[in-house]
Every structure is written in C-alpha cells, then in structure tokens.
Amino acid sequence: MSDEKIPAKGAGDGEKFSKVRRFFGSFRLRLFITILLTGAVSIAAMYITAHYVCSNILVEKRVDTAYDHLSKMSVKIVNNMYVGNPQNAPQISSELSIAASLFGGRIIVADSGLKIIYDSFSAEEGKTMVSTEAIKAIRGGLSRFISIEKEYAELSMPLIDHDNTDGGPYIGVLIAKISLEDEIAMIKDLEKFLIVTVILLSIVLLFICFLSSTEFAKPFKRIEESISHVSDGYLDDLVTIGGYSEVRRLSDSFNDMLRRIEQLEVSRQEFVSNVSHELKTPITSIKVLADSLITQPDSPPEVYREFLRDINDEIDRENKIISDLLELVKLDRKEGNMHLATVNINALLEKIMKRLTPIASSLSVEIVFESYRDVYAMIDEVKMSLALTNLIENSIKYNKENGRVKVSLNSDGKYFNVTIADTGIGIPADSIDKIFERFYRVDKARARESGGTGLGLAIARSVVLMHNGAIKVESVEGEGTTFIVSVPVSFKIGAE
Ligand code: ADP
C-alpha cells in the first residue's frame, strides 16, 4: 500500500481562503489604499479647482467686459435721445451694430413701452418685448444670465434719464445676448489638458502606492521571517533591521526577548539535567545497597539493618529534593501566589530560632538572636519563614565546632533588615557569585553529609525577590559568612 498522503478535500480551498484573508488584512494593502485615497482626493481637488477657477475667470471676464461696454453705450443712448428718435442718432445704431458683432451676439433697444426700436438682427423692430428680463429692466432692475450649455450670456439693463420728468427715469431697456463660444471652446481644451494630467498623475500615484507600500512593508516581512526562523528553534538568529526608528525599536525589543528566551532555555536545560542528576543519585545508591543485600543473602542481621538504614536515608534525601523542587516551582508563579498579612518579624525569628536550637546544639553551635525594636511587616509568613530558616540553618550547618551564629533584626521604617552572621567555614571568593544558583554547592560531599540539596539559597532568594527585597552576602573563607536580607515593611505589587 502506498504511503502517499491524499490531501483532505477542501484543504486547498482553506489555504487559498486564508491567503486571501491575509492579503486583505495586510498592512501593505492598507497602506496602499491609504496612499491611493490621499492621492486620489488631492488629484480630484486639483481637477475641480482648476476647472472651476479657469471656467469662471474666462466666462466672468467676458461678461464683465460686455457689461462695461454696454453701460457706456446706455449712457450714450440716453445722452443722444436715441430712444425717442433713433433716426437722429444713426452713429448710435452703427455703434450698437459694431458692439453686437464684437460680442458675436445680438443687441436690442426698446422704449419705455418695451417696443423694440433697435435690433442688431433687424428682425424684431417695431414689435413689443414680453420677456421677464425686459420687464424687470424697465422697472430699474439689472439682470445677468449665463448658460454654459447653450454657450451664451444675456445682460439686461435699464436706460436711465434722470432729467425725464414725463413718466420717470426709466426710458427704455438695453438687452444684449453675448456669445460664449470662444470661452467654452477654451474651457473644453483646458478640460482635455486636465484629463490627460489626471491620467498621468494617477499612473504616477499608483506607482508610488505600489513602491512605498512594498518598501514600508519590507521590514515587517523580515521580522516575520526571523520570528518563524526562531519558531523553528534557531534562538541565536538575531534580527538586524535598519530603516525607520519604530522598526529598529521593534527589532531591538525582539532581540532582547530572544536573548532572554535563550538564557531561559539554557537555564531550563541546565535545570532539567541537574534535576535528573540529583534525583538519580539517591536512586543509584539505593540500587547499589539493595543489590549488595540480594547478592549476599547470608549477611548477618546487623549488616541488613545498616544497609536498610542507609536506604532509608537515601529515600529521605530524595524526598527532601522533591519537596524543595516543588517549593521552587511554586515560588516561580510569582505575586499571585502570595498570602500577605502583617506579621511581627521578632516573633517569627524567635520561632525559627527555637525550632533550630536542637540542630545547633547537636553540632555544638551557639545561636543568638538580637533585635533593636519591634518590627511589623506585610509579608507571606510561610514563605519568609522558609527563606530565613534556610539561611539560619546554613549558618549552623556550615559552621565549626563551638562556632556561633548571630541573628539580628533592625528596621529604618521602610525596610526591615535581618543579618545572619556566622563564624563558620566561609565561602571561597570564586563561589560567592554562584551560591544562589539551583543545585550549586561549594563542597558537594559536605553538603550531602548535612542533607543539603543545593536549593536552599535559590528558594531564599526567590522569596526575598517576591517581597521586592534584596539579599546580600559577605564571606571570608575560614572565618565566617554574613547574609543580609532587606525587605520593605509594606508590600507594593509590581514595585522594583
Ligand atoms: P545546601 O542545601 O547545599 O545547603 P544552599 O543553596 O542552601 O544548598 O547553599 C548552597 C551552598 O552555599 C552550600 O552547599 C554551601 O556550600 C554554601 N553555603 C551556604 N550558606 C553558607 C554559609 N553560611 N557558610 C558557608 N557556606 C555556605
């Protein structure tokens, strides 16, 4: 039977769908659309403004020129009393005719009864005008009408004679139809030019959109590649991305995170191998002891008893390592796991000292406690008790015969300080930085003899750090060691 995998029905569709979704949700597409929209709005605004401004300037200028000319003509008509007697002022008729051909249109003059006395087309003379513009003009109103579609403008104005006492100042009307053909032709040319410009600008815009969105999205693509490389297990693959500062900051933070993950990974591997080693040691001893008993069935009962006692010790040791490990794991869960309460530290230390007195006596070590004031602090009593017990127990265990341990408590109101000074064997200078590491022991044999697991100081440090405190150590080999623990009296979540 062939091992070849048959792709699940619809799997290809799913992949295609997610690719489409990724495309539509991409930064690149959004950037492309944003630049495109901004550019398109600018081009449209440019087109509309240019079209509007040019059209208006051309048409308005033409109409204003015609208006000025006709105003002057109207004054001449009145001054020459053309309305009452057109035959007496033939030069006015020819000037009106010249003006009509100048504007490529038609000029009509009517009297106060709206009877046409002059028509540059000579078609309506003698007839009466009935248009609303004419009626408005004979009442003194000015009107101005522009039709871009029909390519003309119409101006109507009254002929005013202030000296006319007979029937009022409005003695007639002047109506002109002006051709806008040339202006509209120019506007159409301008439109063509604008459309070509818009097309060219749109092509350039699309090009800019494509280039900039590709360019801006590049660093993200590189970060994505790096992250997937890291996901494949290459933790040492740092990202080096130049470009804009946000991306540089992102890649710096990413690299910091990578370094941290790498450190955690190294310490996790170290921890796992240490744990396996430490857990295996008592089991190996138990196995050797049990094997010897099995291979020597005739051994006397005292030998059996001694071997069984040794097996029992190894089981106790295994137990201690497991409980210390569990304690450490619990401490790793941080603040959420704390049961805080206000505790009298003097009483707490006295309790610990009392509990440790039998061990100290058995090793001929004198332990003394001295406190300068009553100290109350917000702590997790169980955890803090464990940390201080580990420290004091160490100063008893790593002491000399007839040695001394002095525990003192003081406070400055903000912090309380516990100093544990012993006259013991001390710690070599090259080990002092390592003693807080999990499973580190200066003298493995001695630690083993005294039941040490190498986890006591790691636990103590975790507890103190959880309380936002600090732990310091000073030691002279052969003379003694002093541990100083400083912890804030009031606990603040997230404080440094
Ligand atoms: P252990 O269970 O071995 O005591 P700890 O983590 O408590 O583990 O301590 C780590 C090592 O630090 C000890 O094995 C010992 O070598 C050294 N040490 C700790 N406290 C003292 C001390 N007061 N004097 C001398 N050495 C010490």
Side-chain angles (χ1 to χ4, degrees), residues 225-343:
E225 280 165 6
S226 292
I227 291 176
S228 57
H229 202 219
V230 170
S231 315
D232 292 341
Y234 299 97
L235 285 177
D236 52 349
D237 182 28
L238 295 186
V239 188
T240 40
I241 298 173
Y244 28 101
S245 59
E246 287 85 352
V247 174
R248 263 205 308 267
R249 277 210 300 276
L250 185 70
S251 74
D252 286 350
S253 314
F254 180 73
N255 286 340
D256 288 346
M257 188 190 75
L258 267 192
R259 282 188 208 103
R260 180 96 189 94
I261 294 176
E262 216 182 331
Q263 277 169 8
L264 285 177
E265 179 57 18
V266 169
S267 71
R268 188 188 66 85
Q269 281 174 7
E270 237 171 56
F271 183 61
V272 169
S273 88
N274 284 343
V275 168
S276 338
H277 176 77
E278 295 299 324
L279 289 177
K280 253 178 103 178
T281 316
I283 289 174
T284 313
S285 307
I286 292 169
K287 172 90 179 124
V288 170
L289 290 164
D291 277 350
S292 342
L293 286 179
I294 292 164
T295 50
Q296 294 163 30
D298 303 329
S299 305
E302 308 84 65
V303 175
Y304 263 93
R305 215 166 294 126
E306 198 195 325
F307 273 39
L308 284 174
R309 217 177 292 124
D310 287 348
I311 288 175
N312 199 34
D313 286 350
E314 291 302 332
I315 291 172
D316 282 348
R317 193 174 151 64
E318 183 89 11
N319 237 339
K320 171 105 174 74
I321 295 173
I322 291 171
S323 24
D324 278 1
L325 274 172
L326 288 177
E327 205 57 56
L328 257 182
V329 172
K330 265 199 264 165
L331 292 174
D332 277 349
R333 280 194 233 135
K334 306 262 163 71
E335 285 163 1
N337 206 22
M338 289 182 73
H339 302 288
L340 295 166
T342 304
V343 174

Side-chain angles (χ1 to χ4, degrees), residues 465-478:
L465 293 184
M466 268 177 110
H467 284 80
N468 302 317
I471 185 163
K472 270 197 303 192
V473 57
E474 286 157 14
S475 186
V476 178
E477 207 179 348

Side-chain angles (χ1 to χ4, degrees), residues 394-395 397-398 422 425-427 435 440-442 447 452-457 481 483:
N394 275 353
S395 13
K397 279 192 317 194
Y398 302 105
D422 66 53
I425 58 170
I427 301 164
I435 54 167
Y440 184 80
R441 281 152 294 183
V442 176
T453 59
L455 296 171
L457 287 182
T481 306
F483 282 92

Side-chain angles (χ1 to χ4, degrees), residues 98-135:
I98 291 167
S101 57
L102 186 72
F103 296 126
R106 181 180 187 182
I107 295 180
I108 291 173
V109 179
D111 63 13
S112 55
L114 293 183
K115 194 172 131 220
I116 296 172
I117 53 169
Y118 173 82
D119 177 4
S120 61
F121 282 5
S122 310
E124 310 274 333
E125 278 170 10
K127 291 184 183 167
T128 300
M129 291 196 78
V130 284
S131 75
T132 36
E133 282 76 23
I135 294 166

Side-chain angles (χ1 to χ4, degrees), residues 45-235:
M46 185 252 352
Y47 177 84
I48 293 167
T49 312
H51 191 276
Y52 178 80
V53 169
C54 292
S55 313
N56 260 25
I57 288 175
L58 284 172
V59 172
E60 291 294 326
K61 198 169 170 230
R62 168 83 164 168
V63 175
D64 286 349
T65 312
Y67 181 82
D68 286 349
H69 195 90
L70 291 173
S71 296
K72 282 178 196 148
M73 281 305 304
S74 73
V75 173
K76 273 189 189 171
I77 289 170
V78 173
N79 289 347
N80 288 283
M81 289 180 281
Y82 180 77
V83 177
N85 238 333
Q87 297 84 350
N88 287 351
Q91 78 280 11
I92 298 290
S93 296
S94 58
E95 272 188 46
L96 286 169
S97 157
I98 291 167
S101 57
L102 186 72
F103 296 126
R106 181 180 187 182
I107 295 180
I108 291 173
V109 179
D111 63 13
S112 55
L114 293 183
K115 194 172 131 220
I116 296 172
I117 53 169
Y118 173 82
D119 177 4
S120 61
F121 282 5
S122 310
E124 310 274 333
E125 278 170 10
K127 291 184 183 167
T128 300
M129 291 196 78
V130 284
S131 75
T132 36
E133 282 76 23
I135 294 166
K136 197 175 152 195
I138 202 62
R139 289 178 186 156
L142 276 171
S143 68
R144 173 187 172 115
F145 169 77
I146 296 170
S147 168
I148 298 287
E149 296 78 43
K150 293 184 182 158
E151 302 182 0
Y152 79 92
E154 197 174 283
L155 293 171
S156 316
M157 60 178 71
L159 296 169
I160 306 168
D161 182 2
H162 292 290
D163 300 333
N164 184 33
T165 48
D166 178 22
Y170 305 118
I171 58 163
V173 294
L174 178 65
I175 293 174
K177 217 171 188 180
I178 302 153
S179 165
L180 296 176
E181 256 174 47
D182 290 348
E183 285 70 24
I184 301 293
M186 277 165 83
I187 290 169
K188 281 189 177 150
D189 281 351
L190 177 82
E191 254 170 18
K192 275 185 209 152
F193 173 77
L194 282 177
I195 287 168
V196 172
T197 313
V198 164
I199 292 170
L200 286 177
L201 283 178
S202 304
I203 294 169
V204 172
L205 176 66
L206 279 173
F207 199 62
I208 291 172
C209 287
F210 179 76
L211 276 187
S212 48
S213 60
T214 312
E215 203 50 40
F216 281 127
K218 254 185 200 162
F220 293 104
K221 179 122 190 75
R222 292 228 293 279
I223 288 186
E224 187 200 323
E225 280 165 6
S226 292
I227 291 176
S228 57
H229 202 219
V230 170
S231 315
D232 292 341
Y234 299 97
L235 285 177

Side-chain angles (χ1 to χ4, degrees), residues 331 387 391 436-437 456-466 469 471:
L331 292 174
L391 292 171
F436 291 102
E437 287 171 15
L457 287 182
I459 292 174
R461 193 179 67 150
S462 287
V463 170
V464 173
L465 293 184
M466 268 177 110
I471 185 163

